[in-house]
C-alpha cells in the first residue's frame, strides 16, 4: 500500500476520534459551566462557556453568562465585550443592561453608558434608577452639570427606584455645594439601606473633601467590612491610614493586598512607612527599595529609604537616597540633619557643608552636628569653611555637651578662648552624671590637656592627671600624663618616678617601658650602648612595637654599628604580609639607608594594602624621584591631589610638578587658592608662592609675600633663593650671591645652581661663573641644565670644551634641541659640515618652525652650496617672530637671496630693513662684492 495513503488514513481516524469524544452541544457546555459555577470553579466555567460560544458564536445565553462571570471576577473589559454581544444577539435587555451599566461605570465608558437609555425600555424601576444614577455620576465627572441636573430630575421621578432615587437628592445637594446636607441625606439612606455601596463611597469622598480624614477612614472601614473583595477601596483606606499616621492599621490591609499585587509601588511604600514607624528599619529599607525599583521618582519612598538606611548606619545608601530629595525638604526637616551627618561620616565634608546651608534657624540641637562638620572640614583642609561653620553656632547654648563640641572646634582653629569654654562644659558634665554627650568625656579631657600643654598651663594639666589617677580605669593614663608634663618641664626624675608608678599598675605596658628607656642618659657611648641593650630586651617581649624599632635603628646609626632593624621588620612582614604599617616603617628605614629601590617596593606594598593617601606618600614620591621614576612621581601626586585637594602635602607636590614642567601660572593659582579660598597657613606653600612670584618676575608681589613670613622661615633654602632672586632684580648683586650661594649649599639642586651661577656671572664675571659651573657639574654630572649652561658659556671661549659638553647634554637627553642646534653651529664653524648638518636636522625635527634652528640649518646649506634649500630655511627664519629682526639672520637671508640670483629682491629687502648694528652694513657690502 502507498505510504502516503496510509498516513492520510491514520490522520482521518484520529480526527474522527477527537470529534466523537468532544462532541457536546452548546447547551450542554452551558450546563457544565453552571455546575462549575456552583462549585466556584470559575476557570473551568469560563472554558466551558468559551466552548459553547465556539460551537454557537451567536448563543446569547452563553455570552451573557460569560460576561456575568467576568464581572464577578472584576475583569471588566472582558465583561463589557461579552455583555454587549449578549445584548446584540437578543438576550433580555432588562437582564443585560443592569450588568452592562455597572461595567460601563467601572470602565469609564461614558458614551456607551449614555446610549443605554435608548435600550432601557422594560427595565425594572430599581434597575432603571441605577442606570440613571451611573449616568449622573458620569455627567458630574465630565463637568456637565446641566445634563446631570436634568438626569437628577428624571431619577427623582422614578417610583420604586430604591436607594438610587434617594441618591438623586444627594447629588442635587452636592452640585449646590451643600456638602453637610448631602452627608445628612446619605446617613438617612444608609440607615434605611444598610451598607449601600454607592452611598458609602460618596459619603467617604465627601468627608475627604471636607478635610475630615478620620471620619472618611471610619466610613471606608464600614465599606471594607461589608465588601471585603474590593481591592481599590482597601487601597484607598490603606493610604488614608498611612496619611493619618496609623501605620499598624495600614500594614494589615497592605499585607493582604501585597499577596495579590506584590509589585504595586504605593503598597510597598505604605508598607515601608509602617515598618519605619515601627522602627523596623532593615525591612523598611527593603520594601522602600523594592518600591523605588518600580517607581524611582517617588520622593516619599525615597525619603523612607534614606531615613531607614541612616538608622541602620548604611550611610552610603542614606546619602544616595537623601541627596535626591534634599531640595524638597523643609529647612527644619530632620532628614536634612541625617544627610549632613551621613556625609560627614563618609568624609564628604564639602557636601555636608552645602547641606547645612539649607538649614534654617540653627538651634542647640544642631550644635553637635555643626561642631562635627567643622572638625571634618578642618581635616580636609577647609579652614575658612570651618570658621564659617563656627560662626553659625548659636550664641547661647544650654547643653554642656553642645558647648564642649563648639569649644573643641575653637581649639582646633587655634582659638584659645575654647579652653575656658571647654573647662566650663566639663565642669557641668561632672555635676550631672546623666548628661548625654555625643563626645566621649575622656576624649574632651584629652583635648583640654593638649590645649593646656600648648599654652604652657602645666599646673592645670597636672590637675587632670591627678584626677585620672584616682580612677581605676584611667590610673595608668594619669601617671603617663604626669610623666609627660614633668619631662616637658625638664624634671626627668619626677617623670621617671611617675612612669614607674604606672608600670606597677600595668607591668607589661610597652609604652611605659619605652618611655622609661627614653629617659636613660645618652651622653657617652657606654650610655648609648646601655639604651640599645634595653631596647633589645623590650623588642624580645614586644617585637612589633614600632617606636622601639625606630629608636633602635637610629641609635645603631649614631653608634656606627650595623643596624638590624630592617631585617627585623622584614621578618615581621614575612609573618604579617598584610600589615601596611610594617611596610611603611621598613620603607622609612630604607629611605634613611638610601636604599630607594627598596623603599619604593615597601611603600608600594603599603599602598597596595591601603590606597588611601597617607603621609608616607611624600616619601614614596621622593623615592620615585631618587630612582628617576618621574612619571610615577607625577601620577602619585595627581592621585593624591585628586583624593585630597586641600591636603598641604598634596598641594606642595602639585606645585612642584607644575614648577618643574614650566606651568608657573597653574602653580601660582594653586598656591593662591590654598591661601585665599581654603584659608591655609602652611609656611612651605606660602614660601613656594613667594618663590614662584619672584621666578616669574612679579617682584613686588613676591616681596610682599616674603615680608609677611616669620623671620625664622626666611633662613630656609627656598626663601634664601627667593630673596636672592629679588636682590638680583634690585641689582643688589653682592647680597644676591651670598643668599643664592647659601641656598645652593643647603640644597645643591639644578635650579639653585642656576640662580647662583647667574648671580656670580653678573657680580664677579664670566670666568667666576664658568668656574662655579664646572665645579657643580663635576659633582653632578647628570645635571642637564647646568651642563648646557657651561657649554653655552664656553661657546665663544673654548670651542672644543663647548663641543664636549654639548655632547654630554645630548647623551643625557637626545631631545635637547638647543644642544643639537648649538653643536651644529660649532661643527659648521669648524668646517665639519657632515656633523653640522646631522645635528641641525635633528634640531629641526624637534623644532621645525624655530627661527634659530632654521637659521643654523640654512647657513650650513649655504656653506654646502645648497642655495635653494638654504633660501627656503632662511626665508622661514626671517619670518619667525624670534629672529625676524635679528641682524645676523637677516645677513644670512640676504646671502641666500644672492646665492639664488634674487638680486632685486635682495636690494628691496635691504632697503626695507632697519639695521641694529653698524657692522651689518659692512657685512652686506662684503656680500655684494662677493656675489655681484
Amino acid at each position: 500500500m502507498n505510504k502516503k495513503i496510509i498516513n492520510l488514513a491514520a490522520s482521518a481516524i484520529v480526527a474522527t476520534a477527537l470529534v466523537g469524544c468532544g462532541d457536546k452541544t452548546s447547551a450542554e457546555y452551558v450546563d457544565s459551566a453552571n455546575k462549575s459555577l456552583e462549585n466556584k470553579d470559575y476557570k473551568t466555567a469560563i472554558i466551558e462557556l468559551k466552548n459553547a460560544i465556539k460551537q454557537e458564536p451567536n448563543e446569547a445565553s452563553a455570552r451573557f453568562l460569560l460576561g456575568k462571570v467576568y464581572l464577578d471576577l472584576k475583569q471588566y473589559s472582558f465583561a463589557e465585550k461579552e455583555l454587549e454581544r449578549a445584548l446584540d444577539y437578543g438576550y433580555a435587555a432588562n437582564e443585560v443592561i443592569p450588568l452592562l451599566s455597572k461595567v460601563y461605570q467601572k470602565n469609564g465608558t461614558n458614551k456607551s453608558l449614555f446610549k443605554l437609555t435608548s435600550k432601557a425600555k422594560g427595565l425594572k424601576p430599581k434597575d432603571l434608577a441605577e442606570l440613571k444614577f451611573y449616568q449622573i455620576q458620569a455627567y458630574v465627572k465630565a463637568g456637565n452639570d446641566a445634563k446631570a441636573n436634568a438626569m437628577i430630575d428624571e431619577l427623582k421621578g422614578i417610583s420604586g427606584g430604591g436607594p438610587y432615587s434617594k441618591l438623586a437628592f444627594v447629588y442635587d445637594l452636592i452640585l449646590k455645594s451643600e456638602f453637610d446636607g448631602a452627608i445628612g441625606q446619605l446617613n438617612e439612606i444608609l440607615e434605611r439601606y444598610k451598607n449601600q455601596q454607592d452611598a458609602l463611597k460618596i459619603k467617604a469622598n465627601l468627608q475627604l473633601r471636607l478635610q475630615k480624614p478620620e471620619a472618611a477612614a471610619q466610613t471606608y472601614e464600614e465599606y471594607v467590612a461589608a465588601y471585603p473583595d474590593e481591592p481599590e477601596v482597601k487601597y484607598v483606606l490603606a493610604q488614608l491610614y498611612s496619611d493619618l499616621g496609623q501605620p499598624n492599621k495600614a500594614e494589615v490591609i497592605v499585607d493582604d493586598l501585597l499577596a495579590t499585587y506584590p509589585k504595586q509601588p504605593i503598597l510597598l511604600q505604605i508598607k515601608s512607612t509602617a515598618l519605619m514607624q515601627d522602627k523596623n528599619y532593615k525591612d523598611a529599607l527593603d520594601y522602600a527599595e523594592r518600591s523605588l525599583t518600580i517607581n524611582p521618582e517617588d520622593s516619599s519612598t525615597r525619603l523612607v529609604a534614606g531615613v531607614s538606611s541612616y538608622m541602620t548606619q548604611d550611610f552610603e545608601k542614606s546619602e544616595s537616597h537623601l541627596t535626591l530629595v534634599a531640595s524638597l525638604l523643609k529647612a527644619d526637616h530632620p532628614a536634612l540633619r541625617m544627610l549632613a551627618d551621613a556625609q560627614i561620616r563618609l568624609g564628604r565634608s564639602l557636601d555636608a557643608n552645602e547641606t547645612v546651608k539649607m538649614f534654617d534657624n540653627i538651634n542647640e540641637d544642631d550644635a553637635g552636628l555643626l561642631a562635627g562638620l567643622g572638625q571634618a572640614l578642618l581635616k580636609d583642609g577647609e579652614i575658612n569653611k570651618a570658621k564659617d561653620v563656627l560662626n553659625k553656632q548659636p550664641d547661647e547654648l544650654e547643653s554642656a555637651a553642645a558647648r564642649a563640641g563648639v569649644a573643641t572646634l575653637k581649639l582646633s582653629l587655634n582659638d584659645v578662648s575654647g579652653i575656658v569654654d571647654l573647662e566650663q562644659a566639663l565642669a557641668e558634665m561632672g555635676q550631672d552624671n546623666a548628661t548625654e554627650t555625643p563626645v566621649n568625656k575622656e576624649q574632651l579631657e584629652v583635648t583640654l590637656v593638649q590645649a593646656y600643654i600648648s599654652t604652657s598651663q602645666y599646673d592645670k594639666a597636672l590637675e587632670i592627671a591627678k584626677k585620672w589617677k584616682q580612677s581605676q580605669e584611667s590610673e595608668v593614663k594619669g601617671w603617663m600624663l604626669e610623666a609627660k608634663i614633668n619631662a616637658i618641664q625638664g624634671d626627668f626624675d619626677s617623670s621617671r618616678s611617675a612612669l614607674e608608678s604606672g608600670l606597677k599598675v600595668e607591668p607589661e605596658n610597652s609604652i611605659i617601658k619605652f618611655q622609661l628607656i627614653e629617659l636613660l642618659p645618652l651622653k657617652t657611648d657606654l650610655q648609648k650602648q646601655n639604651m640599645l641593650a634595653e631596647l633589645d630586651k623590650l623588642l624580645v617581649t614586644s617585637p612589633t612595637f614600632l617606636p622601639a624599632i625606630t629608636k633602635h635603628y637610629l641609635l645603631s646609626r649614631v653608634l656606627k654599628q650595623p643596624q638590624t632593624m630592617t631585617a627585623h621588620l622584614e621578618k615581621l612582614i614575612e609573618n604579617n604580609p598584610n600589615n601596611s604599617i610594617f611596610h611603611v616603617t621598613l620603607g622609612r628605614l630604607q629611605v634613611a639607608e638610601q636604599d630607594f629601590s627598596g623603599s619604593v617596593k615597601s611603600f608600594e606594598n603599603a599602598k597596595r594594602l591601603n590606597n588611601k593617601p597617607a603621609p608616607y606618600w611624600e616619601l614614596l614620591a621622593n623615592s620615585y624621584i631618587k630612582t628617576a621614576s618621574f612619571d610615577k612621581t607625577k601620577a602619585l601626586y595627581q592621585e593624591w591631589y585628586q583624593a585630597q585637594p586641600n591636603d598641604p602635602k598634596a598641594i606642595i607636590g602639585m606645585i612642584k610638578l607644575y614648577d618643574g614642567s614650566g606651568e608657573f601660572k597653574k602653580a601660582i593659582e594653586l598656591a593662591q587658592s590654598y591661601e585665599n579660598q581654603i584659608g591655609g597657613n602652611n609656611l612651605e606653600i606660602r614660601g613656594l608662592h613667594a618663590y614662584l612670584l619672584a621666578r616669574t618676575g612679579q617682584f613686588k608681589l613676591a616681596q610682599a609675600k616674603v615680608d609677611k613670613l616669620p623671620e625664622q622661615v626666611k633662613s630656609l633654602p627656598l626663601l634664601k633663593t627667593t630673596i636672592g632672586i629679588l636682590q638680583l632684580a634690585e641689582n643688589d648683586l653682592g647680597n644676591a650671591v651670598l643668599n643664592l650661594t647659601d641656598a645652593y649649599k643647603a640644597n645643591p639642586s639644578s635650579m639653585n645652581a642656576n640662580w647662583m651661577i647667574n648671580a656670580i656671572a653678573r657680580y664677579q664675571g664670566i670666568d667666576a661663573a664658568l668656574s662655579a659651573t664646572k665645579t657643580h657639574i663635576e659633582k653632578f654630572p647628570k645635571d642637564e641644565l647646568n651642563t648646557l649652561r657651561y657649554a653655552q658659556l664656553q661657546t665663544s671661549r673654548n670651542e672644543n670644551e663647548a663641543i664636549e659638553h654639548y655632547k654630554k647634554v645630548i647623551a643625557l637627553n637626545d631631545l635637547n634641541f638647543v644642544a643639537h642646534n648649538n653643536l651644529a653651529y660649532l661643527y659648521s664653524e669648524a668646517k665639519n659640515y657632515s656633523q653640522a648638518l646631522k645635528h641641525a636636522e635633528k634640531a629641526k625635527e624637534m623644532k621645525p618652525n624655530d627661527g634659530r634652528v632654521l637659521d643654523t640649518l640654512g647657513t650650513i646649506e649655504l656653506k654646502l652650496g645648497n642655495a635653494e634649500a638654504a633660501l627656503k630655511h632662511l626665508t622661514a627664519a626671517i619670518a619667525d617672530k624670534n629672529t625676524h629682526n635679528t641682524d645676523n639672520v637677516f645677513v644670512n637671508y640676504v646671502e641666500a637671496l644672492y646665492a639664488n640670483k634674487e638680486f632685486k629682491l635682495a636690494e628691496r629687502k635691504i632697503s626695507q630693513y632697519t639695521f641694529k648694528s653698524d657692522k651689518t652694513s659692512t657685512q652686506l657690502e662684503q656680500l655684494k662684492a662677493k656675489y655681484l
Side-chain angles (χ1 to χ4, degrees):
M1 183 183 281
N2 186 292
K3 186 174 181 181
K4 186 175 181 181
I5 296 172
I6 293 172
N7 288 340
L8 288 171
S11 298
I13 292 167
V14 171
T16 304
L18 287 173
V19 172
C21 292
D23 191 14
K24 282 185 182 181
T25 65
S26 177
E28 287 173 333
Y29 278 122
V30 172
D31 288 341
S32 295
N34 279 316
K35 289 176 182 176
S36 296
L37 288 173
E38 288 175 7
N39 297 319
K40 295 187 178 181
D41 184 358
Y42 296 107
K43 187 175 180 181
T44 301
I46 290 171
I47 293 171
E48 296 287 0
L49 290 169
K50 284 183 175 181
N51 284 332
I53 292 168
K54 190 174 182 181
Q55 290 280 54
E56 293 186 41
N58 297 337
E59 173 52 50
S61 61
R63 296 275 185 186
F64 175 76
L65 188 56
L66 182 56
K68 191 173 183 300
V69 171
Y70 281 139
L71 178 59
D72 291 340
L73 293 173
K74 300 182 180 4
Q75 297 180 22
Y76 300 117
S77 296
F78 292 138
E80 181 177 330
K81 172 186 170 184
E82 297 302 333
L83 290 171
E84 282 180 340
R85 289 186 179 179
L87 191 61
D88 291 341
Y89 295 150
Y91 202 82
N94 60 348
E95 291 192 47
V96 177
I97 288 176
L99 301 183
L100 198 52
S101 65
K102 282 185 171 67
V103 171
Y104 286 153
Q105 191 259 351
K106 290 289 186 183
N107 286 340
T109 319
N110 293 340
K111 288 183 179 180
S112 298
L113 180 63
F114 298 144
K115 289 178 181 179
L116 283 180
T117 303
S118 62
K119 301 176 183 180
K121 293 177 183 178
L123 282 184
K124 296 175 184 177
K126 181 179 177 299
D127 293 334
L128 180 61
E130 186 174 7
L131 172 59
K132 296 291 182 184
F133 172 74
Y134 291 146
Q135 290 174 335
I136 290 169
Q137 281 189 319
Y139 282 130
V140 170
K141 284 181 182 178
N144 194 336
D145 292 355
K147 287 194 175 182
N149 278 317
M151 195 65 67
I152 287 168
D153 290 338
E154 287 183 31
L155 182 53
K156 286 179 181 179
I158 297 174
S159 177
Y164 294 105
S165 294
K166 302 290 184 185
L167 285 169
F169 293 93
V170 172
Y171 263 103
D172 189 20
L173 293 167
I174 289 172
L175 290 174
K176 293 175 182 176
S177 297
E178 296 179 17
F179 304 124
D180 289 329
I183 289 177
Q185 187 74 34
L186 285 165
N187 287 335
E188 290 180 13
I189 293 170
L190 288 166
E191 191 173 337
R192 182 172 177 182
Y193 303 98
K194 187 174 177 59
N195 295 328
Q196 206 282 332
Q197 270 185 294
D198 296 293
L200 285 170
K201 281 186 178 179
I202 296 169
K203 180 180 177 182
N205 287 332
L206 283 174
Q207 288 167 328
L208 287 174
R209 191 167 183 175
L210 292 168
Q211 296 187 350
K212 296 178 178 179
E214 292 86 355
Q218 187 176 347
T219 303
Y220 277 128
E221 285 172 6
E222 293 172 20
Y223 188 98
V224 170
Y227 308 101
D229 295 327
E230 290 213 21
E232 296 89 350
V233 179
K234 285 184 173 181
Y235 178 80
V236 173
L237 180 56
Q239 276 194 299
L240 195 51
Y241 280 147
S242 182
D243 293 342
L244 288 169
Q246 299 176 26
N248 293 333
K249 286 187 176 181
E251 192 173 8
V252 173
I253 299 173
V254 166
D255 286 341
D256 177 45
L257 291 172
L258 281 173
T260 308
Y261 308 101
K263 293 185 178 181
Q264 214 293 327
I266 300 298
L267 293 176
L268 292 167
Q269 186 260 327
I270 294 171
K271 176 72 173 177
S272 68
T273 303
L275 289 166
M276 184 183 73
Q277 294 190 6
D278 280 344
K279 299 185 179 180
N280 184 351
Y281 300 113
K282 182 176 179 294
D283 289 342
L285 177 61
D286 176 53
Y287 276 95
E289 291 190 329
R290 282 163 60 186
S291 176
L292 289 169
T293 301
I294 303 161
N295 184 16
E297 302 302 320
D298 189 334
S299 57
S300 298
T301 311
R302 186 75 64 183
L303 180 60
V304 171
V307 172
S308 297
S309 49
Y310 176 85
M311 299 306 293
T312 57
Q313 298 197 346
D314 188 341
F315 300 115
E316 193 73 52
K317 274 189 178 180
S318 180
E319 197 259 358
S320 175
H321 288 304
L322 291 177
T323 298
L324 295 175
V325 296
S327 61
L328 305 175
L329 301 176
K330 291 183 179 180
D332 59 351
H333 199 290
L336 280 180
R337 276 70 180 164
M338 293 180 185
L339 173 58
D341 186 50
Q343 289 166 330
I344 292 169
R345 291 171 185 266
L346 292 168
R348 296 165 189 164
S349 63
L350 292 176
D351 292 335
N353 193 48
E354 291 303 309
T355 301
V356 167
K357 288 179 182 178
M358 301 168 72
F359 291 11
D360 190 20
N361 297 324
I362 291 173
N363 55 42
E364 183 150 338
D365 292 338
D366 300 320
L369 177 64
L370 262 63
L373 172 59
Q375 296 289 359
L377 287 166
L378 278 176
K379 184 179 178 183
D380 289 339
E382 294 286 352
I383 299 166
N384 285 344
K385 288 184 173 66
K387 289 178 180 177
D388 290 341
V389 167
L390 179 60
N391 291 333
K392 287 178 183 177
Q393 292 280 13
D395 293 332
E396 298 295 330
L397 294 171
E398 294 183 8
S399 164
R403 293 205 307 279
V406 174
T408 303
L409 180 56
K410 281 184 177 181
L411 290 172
S412 299
L413 287 165
N414 298 318
D415 180 350
V416 294
S417 69
I419 293 177
V420 176
D421 295 343
L422 189 52
E423 284 175 339
Q424 292 174 350
L426 281 168
E428 288 185 27
M429 288 181 188
Q431 293 167 10
D432 182 5
N433 293 327
T435 299
E436 291 185 6
T437 171
V439 185
N440 183 287
K441 188 177 176 184
E442 283 193 11
Q443 184 56 50
L444 289 175
E445 289 178 330
V446 169
T447 302
L448 187 56
V449 164
Q450 291 169 344
Y452 284 151
I453 292 173
S454 66
T455 55
S456 302
Q457 298 183 56
Y458 301 122
D459 290 343
K460 289 186 175 182
L462 285 170
E463 284 298 317
I464 292 180
K466 182 179 178 181
K467 175 188 169 187
W468 284 352
K469 287 189 296 182
Q470 292 169 357
S471 166
Q472 186 175 355
E473 292 180 359
S474 59
E475 181 181 0
V476 172
K477 191 167 67 171
W479 286 117
M480 291 173 71
L481 175 57
E482 182 180 318
K484 179 178 181 179
I485 295 165
N486 286 328
I488 291 171
Q489 296 180 93
D491 187 354
F492 300 111
D493 289 338
S494 296
S495 178
R496 186 178 297 106
S497 176
L499 287 172
E500 287 170 348
S501 296
L503 198 62
K504 290 177 183 177
V505 181
E506 289 185 10
E508 300 304 318
N509 190 307
S510 299
I511 298 173
I512 296 177
K513 288 180 179 180
F514 178 70
Q515 290 178 351
L516 281 168
I517 292 171
E518 284 196 307
L519 289 175
L520 292 172
L522 269 179
K523 291 181 180 179
T524 66
D525 282 353
L526 184 61
Q527 289 172 334
K528 292 171 186 174
Q529 290 282 7
N530 180 50
M531 180 180 282
L532 199 63
E534 292 298 320
L535 287 169
D536 281 326
K537 292 178 186 177
L538 178 57
L539 286 172
V540 170
T541 57
S542 304
T544 63
F545 190 66
L546 297 178
I549 292 172
T550 305
K551 188 76 174 180
H552 193 289
Y553 169 81
L554 293 173
L555 203 53
S556 297
R557 291 288 299 271
V558 169
L559 289 167
K560 297 180 181 179
Q561 294 182 0
Q563 62 88 14
T564 58
M565 288 299 101
T566 51
H568 179 84
L569 279 164
E570 285 167 354
K571 186 68 175 176
L572 290 178
I573 290 169
E574 186 180 329
N575 296 326
N576 301 275
N578 295 324
N579 188 311
S580 61
I581 298 175
F582 288 167
H583 289 286
V584 171
T585 307
L586 177 59
R588 291 179 185 278
L589 298 193
Q590 288 166 326
V591 167
E593 290 288 300
Q594 297 194 5
D595 176 11
F596 297 111
S597 295
S599 65
V600 165
K601 181 181 177 182
S602 295
F603 291 138
E604 284 184 343
N605 282 335
K607 189 171 181 290
R608 174 178 52 79
L609 293 167
N610 184 355
N611 199 32
K612 290 182 179 179
Y616 76 85
W617 279 27
E618 184 180 17
L619 291 174
L620 175 56
N622 291 335
S623 297
Y624 281 146
I625 291 170
K626 292 292 185 181
T627 55
S629 302
F630 301 114
D631 289 341
K632 285 187 174 182
T633 308
K634 183 177 180 180
L636 180 68
Y637 273 123
Q638 287 173 336
E639 181 185 352
W640 193 353
Y641 181 69
Q642 188 173 6
Q644 295 182 339
N646 298 327
D647 186 293
K649 293 293 184 184
I651 292 171
I652 289 166
M654 287 303 296
I655 289 174
K656 288 180 177 178
L657 284 179
Y658 287 141
D659 178 35
S661 61
E663 296 176 271
F664 304 121
K665 185 179 178 182
K666 287 184 178 180
I668 290 170
E669 286 174 351
L670 190 53
Q672 286 175 335
S673 172
Y674 172 77
E675 292 179 38
N676 300 333
Q677 295 178 24
I678 298 172
N681 193 36
N682 183 279
L683 292 175
E684 187 173 358
I685 293 176
R686 290 171 62 190
L688 279 168
H689 193 182
Y691 165 74
L692 289 162
L693 290 169
R695 184 172 179 182
T696 54
Q698 301 177 66
F699 302 121
K700 287 185 178 179
L701 291 174
Q703 187 65 60
K705 290 286 181 187
V706 170
D707 291 342
K708 290 179 182 178
L709 288 168
E711 286 301 318
Q712 65 270 24
V713 174
K714 295 176 185 177
S715 63
L716 296 175
L718 177 66
L719 268 296
K720 288 269 188 180
T721 301
T722 306
I723 292 167
I725 295 170
L726 293 173
Q727 288 166 336
L728 277 176
E730 292 292 323
N731 217 30
D732 183 3
L733 301 179
N735 285 323
V737 169
L738 289 174
N739 277 310
L740 291 170
T741 301
D742 284 347
Y744 172 78
K745 288 177 179 178
N747 178 18
S749 67
S750 176
M751 189 53 65
N752 279 349
N754 183 63
W755 285 114
M756 179 188 71
I757 292 163
N758 185 25
I760 291 171
R762 288 178 59 184
Y763 186 56
Q764 297 173 335
I766 298 299
D767 289 338
L770 269 170
S771 176
T773 308
K774 187 172 185 180
T775 301
H776 172 76
I777 61 176
E778 284 175 351
K779 287 183 180 177
F780 303 99
K782 292 185 178 181
D783 184 343
E784 179 186 342
L785 173 66
N786 288 293
T787 303
L788 178 65
R789 185 187 186 93
Y790 181 76
Q792 289 171 319
L793 289 171
Q794 289 285 23
T795 296
S796 58
R797 290 169 165 265
N798 186 335
E799 291 183 356
N800 289 332
E801 185 81 351
I803 288 171
E804 186 65 29
H805 282 83
Y806 280 129
K807 286 181 178 179
K808 288 182 178 181
V809 173
I810 291 168
L812 291 169
N813 179 11
D814 191 42
L815 298 179
N816 191 311
F817 87 95
V818 174
H820 280 291
N821 184 67
N822 292 1
L823 189 55
Y825 166 77
L826 288 173
Y827 276 134
S828 175
E829 291 295 298
K831 296 184 171 52
N832 187 346
Y833 296 122
S834 61
Q835 284 295 319
L837 188 62
K838 169 188 167 185
H839 286 285
E841 287 178 339
K842 181 72 175 179
K844 185 175 180 295
E845 283 178 20
M846 290 177 277
K847 294 284 185 178
N849 301 313
D850 190 294
R852 295 165 296 180
V853 172
L854 293 166
D855 175 56
T856 302
L857 182 56
T859 305
I860 294 167
E861 295 283 15
L862 269 177
K863 290 178 179 179
L864 289 170
N866 300 327
E868 189 174 338
L871 180 58
K872 176 185 174 184
H873 295 314
L874 288 163
T875 300
I878 206 70
D880 181 54
K881 64 179 181 180
N882 294 312
T883 50
H884 76 286
N885 278 329
T886 306
D887 283 6
N888 289 340
V889 177
F890 181 74
V891 169
N892 294 335
Y893 168 62
V894 170
E895 183 173 3
L897 288 172
Y898 283 150
N900 282 276
K901 303 187 185 306
E902 296 280 356
F903 302 119
K904 289 184 178 180
L905 179 58
E907 291 302 316
R908 187 167 74 250
K909 293 292 183 182
I910 291 170
S911 67
Q912 294 171 345
Y913 186 78
T914 302
F915 303 135
K916 312 295 181 301
S917 169
D918 293 337
K919 292 180 181 179
T920 307
S921 298
T922 304
Q923 288 175 308
L924 290 173
E925 290 300 323
Q926 291 172 348
L927 285 176
K928 284 183 182 180
K930 179 179 177 181
Y931 286 97
L932 296 179

